[in-house]
Amino acid sequence: MDLEDYLRATREGLLGLRLPTERYVTTGATQMLEKRKENAEAGEQLRAQIEVFQLARKSLRRRRDGVVLKEETLRESLLNFDTFLQENSAKCSRGIKKDRRRQRLQLSVQRSALYWRFLELVLRTAKFEEVRELVGRFKTLLATKTQLGQRESRAQENLDSHRRTRQRDLDRQNCLLMHNNNLLSELQTQLDYVRAEALGWDIKWTHIQNTAAKETLLLGQIKTVTLNLFHTTGGQVGQDQGVEIHDTETQLDRIQIFIQKQTSIVNEINPSDNVLD
């Protein structure tokens, strides 16, 4: 409800009030005066309530402004406190880093002091008079070691290169040897095949020779028997009208002619036997 609604409701409430009933009869002018008086009183009450409302409104506004101001103040305080915490944390971190750096430096100094004492102890037993001479000698030896290391590296590289070359040569020789072994195996296989064929032909040749020997022996026996039979039939050899001693076919022909003649003679002498036959 706003101010106008509140005033309107208050005025209607005041106008709706009724005065106590008079026991006497008033005139019209008196009633008008009373109405004006009532209106004046209602206006006074309305103004009083408006003032009270305005005072309450101002009080509420001041309270709200105070709350807003307190919130702003509290927010600024929180921001300042947060900034303070961050700065304090950063300072603590820097302090911790400084302490750690200081501790590392102290440790490094202690280690260096240990080395320095060691160098002084070495000087007592060495031929050097100052630490600088010893450090210079150490640097010289270190440079010499570096040079020797470089030489060793180059020598190792050359050795590795020779090893790789030798390995390639060995691989090439192994490949060539493997190829020759394969070729030798193929040639050995062919040789075995040729030997097997030669053995077969040798067996056949031996069989042929054995067969030829038997046939030659049989042929010699036949020639001998034929020659003896030819001599038995009266045949002559080696003369002008004779037969060659090795002409077995002619000898067989002469023997056949002799047998035919003898058969004819026998048939003429014994015709009855021929008839019976």
Side-chain angles (χ1 to χ4, degrees):
M1 181 182 294
D2 55 5
L3 181 60
E4 293 180 357
D5 294 335
Y6 177 76
L7 294 176
R8 188 181 299 110
T10 304
R11 184 176 181 181
E12 289 177 355
L14 292 175
L15 292 176
L17 294 175
R18 291 186 178 182
L19 296 175
T21 305
E22 297 290 340
R23 293 181 180 180
Y24 54 89
V25 179
T26 60
T27 62
T30 303
Q31 291 178 355
M32 186 178 293
L33 291 174
E34 290 179 355
K35 289 291 183 181
R36 288 180 179 177
K37 185 178 180 180
E38 290 177 358
N39 289 332
E41 291 177 354
E44 290 293 334
Q45 292 179 1
L46 181 60
R47 283 192 294 272
Q49 290 183 1
I50 289 173
E51 290 178 358
V52 172
F53 179 77
Q54 289 179 352
L55 291 174
R57 186 176 181 181
K58 289 179 180 179
S59 178
L60 290 175
R61 185 177 297 171
R62 284 194 300 270
R63 290 181 180 179
R64 185 184 62 185
D65 294 339
V67 171
V68 172
L69 181 60
K70 288 181 179 179
E71 289 180 353
E72 292 293 335
T73 304
L74 182 61
R75 188 179 294 109
E76 291 179 358
S77 299
L78 291 175
L79 291 174
N80 293 330
F81 184 71
D82 190 13
T83 304
F84 171 75
L85 290 178
Q86 291 179 358
E87 291 178 354
N88 191 16
S89 178
K91 290 180 181 179
C92 291
S93 298
R94 288 194 296 271
I96 292 172
K97 290 181 180 179
K98 288 181 180 179
D99 291 337
R100 291 179 179 176
R101 189 180 298 109
R102 185 173 61 254
Q103 291 177 1
R104 287 196 296 270
L105 290 175
Q106 289 178 355
L107 183 60
S108 178
V109 170
Q110 291 176 359
R111 291 178 178 176
S112 300
L114 179 63
Y115 296 149
W116 186 263
R117 287 194 297 271
F118 175 74
L119 291 175
E120 290 179 349
L121 181 61
V122 171
L123 284 175
R124 296 176 183 176
T125 58
K127 62 181 180 179
F128 301 101
E129 296 180 356
E130 295 182 357
V131 177
R132 294 179 180 178
E133 295 180 358
L134 179 61
V135 173
R137 180 59 177 170
F138 175 75
K139 290 182 179 179
T140 302
L141 293 175
L142 184 61
T144 304
K145 179 183 177 182
T146 303
Q147 293 177 359
L148 292 176
Q150 293 176 355
R151 291 180 182 177
E152 184 180 1
S153 298
R154 289 193 294 269
Q156 186 66 34
E157 291 178 357
N158 294 329
L159 180 61
D160 293 338
S161 178
H162 289 305
R163 285 179 178 176
R164 289 192 294 269
T165 303
R166 181 173 175 273
Q167 186 64 38
R168 286 195 296 269
D169 294 337
L170 289 176
D171 294 338
R172 191 180 300 109
Q173 293 296 329
N174 290 330
C175 291
L176 182 60
L177 181 61
M178 186 179 297
H179 175 71
N180 292 332
N181 289 332
N182 293 332
L183 182 60
L184 180 62
S185 178
E186 292 178 359
L187 294 176
Q188 185 66 37
T189 302
Q190 294 179 3
L191 179 61
D192 294 338
Y193 178 75
V194 171
R195 285 179 176 176
E197 286 189 348
L199 181 61
W201 285 111
D202 288 339
I203 294 173
K204 290 181 180 180
W205 177 246
T206 302
H207 178 70
I208 291 171
Q209 286 180 345
N210 293 330
T211 304
K214 291 179 180 180
E215 291 180 354
T216 301
L217 179 60
L218 180 60
L219 180 60
Q221 292 176 355
I222 292 172
K223 285 184 177 182
T224 302
V225 172
T226 302
L227 181 59
N228 292 331
L229 186 60
F230 180 70
H231 284 299
T232 303
T233 59
Q236 296 180 358
V237 295
Q239 296 180 0
D240 295 337
Q241 295 181 356
V243 180
E244 292 291 334
I245 191 172
H246 297 293
D247 192 359
T248 304
E249 293 181 359
T250 303
Q251 294 175 6
L252 289 173
D253 292 337
R254 295 288 179 87
I255 292 170
Q256 185 178 5
I257 293 171
F258 176 78
I259 292 172
Q260 290 176 355
K261 288 180 179 181
Q262 294 298 323
T263 301
S264 298
I265 294 171
V266 171
N267 290 331
E268 290 178 357
I269 295 173
N270 297 316
S272 59
D273 294 335
N274 190 13
V275 173
L276 291 175
D277 292 336

